[in-house]
Amino acid sequence: MPLMPMRPLLDHAAENDYGIAALNVNNMEQIQAIMAAAEETESPVIVQASKGARSYAEDLYLRNLMQAASELHPNIPLVMHQDHGDSVATCQSAMDMAFTSVMMDGSIDDKSQPASYEYNVNITKQVVDIAHSRGISVEGEIGALGGVEDGHGAGLSEEEAQEHLTDPEEAERFVAETNVDALAVAIGTSHGAYKFTKKPTGEVLRISLIEEIHRRLPNTHLVMHGSSSVPQELQDLVNEFGGNIKQTYGVPVEEIQRGIKSGVRKVNVDTDNRLAITGAIRRLFAQSPEKFDPRDYMKPARAEMQKVCAARMVAFGQAGYASKIQPCTLKCMVDFYAK
Ligand code: G3H
Ligand code: 13P
Ligand code: ZN
């Protein structure tokens, strides 16, 4: 099946009450791990690349790897999404590189500070106009997360991030004014491994805010960023073989499942896969120091990432739905948006 836009996938997830993992990639092995997990669990998938990933892998490699993924896995509905586009130009270049969905993250301005509402609406709307005329889906963000992604982001601390949580009333206006297909909300999560210093309570991880936003915007697909669970076993795996991850806590899978019950349809996960890959490589190096063929450590790394991806696909509820989704091209979405 050719790469498909994100909107019909999220619509299907909303109709059937499930969430979809959006998994970050930078190289071939990560794409293979996701596709293997999708086959194993019969899941539709969203594969996403940040600006940093695009620069690391180079657009042409990425585009052709994703093309290979869609040809090798014709029964898996597959979306290629720009994660955290920071400007109209970044989103435009993604669209020109066959991405079928883009995120315009206007929550952070061009000086890496939390953006004004007006800045965010203006830049997001520009991207929506271009993207929808080409059938491409758009995710926007209102409120700002903690952590930094690829130098893009305000690098808000856990405390500062609590001051930039999504305002439900603003979220409602933002969707009406931009016509985004999906809305990322800030509910206390942050990017990276160091999200919470203890298992999060409802005070710091505000799933109740999602419930309120969903009440106001029942037809908008919500997105949770910073949704790695940072499982203890992956921290232990890295540390057992010489790593130095300080004790930390992520977003418990059961809290994500609560979010999914309240309109969360896209769940962004990157860090858990990074930990899985690093843990597997460290283990191989420690246990077989004589090995030096990259395949000897990339294979277990890929397998460890596949395990994480498959577990999330099952937990988020997308497993089993691959064959239930109607193939949909960008052209059919052009007609949809024109109505
Ligand atoms: O948004 C954060 C993702 O984990 C991507 O991270 O910008 O380092 O590729 P990156
Ligand atoms: P994590 O760092 O929690 O995996 O979040 C990834 C993300 O939000 C990508 O946009
Ligand atoms: Zn993110």
Side-chain angles (χ1 to χ4, degrees):
M1 185 182 309
L3 295 171
M4 67 178 286
M6 184 165 76
R7 174 65 185 264
L9 205 52
L10 300 186
D11 286 346
H12 188 270
E15 281 155 24
N16 295 279
D17 295 318
Y18 64 93
I20 304 177
L23 302 157
N24 289 74
V25 297
N26 301 269
N27 64 21
M28 179 183 74
E29 286 80 1
Q30 290 179 306
I31 296 174
Q32 290 174 322
I34 295 167
M35 298 314 294
E39 288 285 0
E40 184 190 328
T41 62
E42 296 175 32
S43 297
V45 277
I46 300 169
V47 172
Q48 59 187 9
S50 67
K51 193 177 168 196
R54 287 177 58 196
S55 139
Y56 170 82
E58 299 183 59
D59 276 346
L60 214 47
Y61 283 115
L62 260 188
R63 185 181 78 181
N64 286 294
L65 286 168
M66 290 300 295
Q67 185 58 37
S70 77
E71 285 179 36
L72 288 165
H73 303 276
N75 300 320
I76 300 295
L78 174 60
V79 172
M80 183 179 179
H81 176 77
Q82 162 80 59
D83 191 23
H84 292 285
D86 60 350
S87 65
V88 177
T90 299
C91 293
Q92 177 90 60
S93 65
M95 295 184 225
D96 294 342
M97 263 297 153
F99 283 67
T100 52
S101 178
V102 295
M103 175 186 192
M104 177 60 239
D105 181 357
S107 70
I108 302 296
D109 68 17
D110 46 9
K111 293 176 193 66
S112 297
Q113 293 304 311
S116 69
Y117 176 80
E118 291 71 27
Y119 172 95
N120 195 352
V121 167
N122 176 44
I123 198 162
T124 305
K125 216 176 149 353
Q126 284 181 58
V127 171
V128 169
D129 288 346
I130 302 166
H132 283 184
S133 71
R134 298 168 66 166
I136 293 168
S137 322
V138 182
E139 172 185 341
E141 175 166 328
I142 189 93
L145 264 76
V148 193
E149 53 279 344
D150 184 32
H152 169 64
L156 303 177
S157 66
E158 192 179 325
E159 294 74 34
E160 288 166 331
Q162 291 293 329
E163 289 163 22
H164 293 277
L165 299 183
T166 302
D167 171 350
E169 187 272 329
E170 216 169 59
E172 203 175 340
R173 272 196 291 143
F174 184 80
V175 170
E177 289 178 44
T178 59
N179 197 25
V180 287
D181 299 284
L183 181 69
V185 290
I187 56 154
T189 66
S190 54
H191 292 109
Y194 300 101
K195 300 182 194 304
F196 302 109
T197 49
K198 53 184 181 358
K199 189 168 185 239
T201 61
E203 299 270 287
V204 289
L205 177 60
R206 301 277 307 281
I207 301 293
S208 57
L209 194 52
I210 292 190
E211 291 162 354
E212 191 184 339
I213 296 166
H214 185 52
R215 267 196 297 279
R216 285 174 181 259
L217 288 166
N219 300 319
T220 298
H221 304 309
L222 303 179
V223 183
M224 272 175 74
H225 281 247
S227 294
S228 276
S229 303
V230 198
Q232 190 62 48
E233 63 270 22
L234 289 181
Q235 295 180 48
D236 292 346
L237 175 66
V238 172
N239 288 341
E240 185 184 343
F241 296 105
N244 185 12
I245 306 286
K246 298 190 180 51
Q247 182 61 49
T248 179
Y249 295 84
V251 184
V253 167
E254 52 288 5
E255 296 298 323
I256 298 172
Q257 289 168 329
R258 270 183 66 201
I260 292 170
K261 287 202 182 90
S262 289
V264 170
R265 300 295 160 227
K266 173 173 181 278
V267 185
N268 284 18
V269 174
D270 186 2
T271 296
D272 286 350
N273 288 324
R274 293 177 174 189
L275 289 170
I277 289 170
T278 299
I281 292 177
R282 281 190 173 280
R283 183 177 53 206
L284 190 285
F285 282 164
Q287 292 178 342
S288 309
E290 74 288 359
K291 302 253 192 212
F292 58 88
D293 180 339
R295 290 170 296 191
D296 287 333
Y297 51 88
M298 291 313 294
K299 268 197 214 166
R302 192 170 59 187
E304 205 65 43
M305 173 163 164
Q306 180 182 338
K307 272 199 254 169
V308 173
C309 294
R312 297 297 175 275
M313 288 168 183
V314 171
F316 299 165
Q318 74 212 79
Y321 278 112
S323 63
K324 312 279 189 307
I325 290 158
Q326 292 292 328
C328 170
T329 60
L330 294 184
K331 169 78 180 71
C332 83
M333 290 311 290
V334 171
D335 300 339
F336 169 88
Y337 293 124
K339 273 187 208 141

